[in-house]
């Protein structure tokens, strides 16, 4: 008989959405690989430094308010 019991916890990478085992070598939790970890790090950097459209929108709104007054 073959018992189909899942040992170990299947994790899902938040970057590439790939299921992986946390006991694999090269896994950098919660990511499946160092590559995905670096991708996530770049996303954070982009969010921190790359908000041109939001700041422009805020400036535009305040300019409009100044004109209406
Ligand atoms: Zn991944």
């Amino acid at each position: 008989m073959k018992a189909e019991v899942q040992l170990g916890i299947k994790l899902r990478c938040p970057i590439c959405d790939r299921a992986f085992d946390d006991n694999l070598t090269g896994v950098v939790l919660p990511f499946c690989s160092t590559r995905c970890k670096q991708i996530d790090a770049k996303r954070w950097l982009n969010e921190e430094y790359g908000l041109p459209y939001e700041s422009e929108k805020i400036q535009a709104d305040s300019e409009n308010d100044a004109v209406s007054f």
Side-chain angles (χ1 to χ4, degrees):
M1 285 181 79
K2 193 174 180 183
E4 304 232 356
V5 179
Q6 279 196 344
L7 300 174
I9 302 168
K10 289 284 185 185
L11 299 173
R12 191 173 285 274
C13 178
I15 300 301
C16 64
D17 204 34
R18 191 179 72 174
F20 63 97
D21 286 318
D22 63 348
N23 59 358
L24 287 175
T25 54
V27 165
V28 188
L29 296 175
F31 310 105
C32 71
S33 64
T34 52
R35 195 174 69 95
C36 285
K37 185 188 178 186
Q38 288 171 353
I39 291 172
D40 183 73
K42 285 181 182 175
R43 283 186 182 180
W44 279 104
L45 288 176
N46 287 337
E47 282 187 19
E48 192 171 339
Y49 298 113
L51 297 172
Y53 46 90
E54 280 199 15
S55 57
E56 279 179 14
K57 187 184 174 189
I58 292 170
Q59 284 179 357
D61 285 346
S62 57
E63 281 179 15
N64 287 340
D65 288 344
V67 170
S68 62
F69 277 113

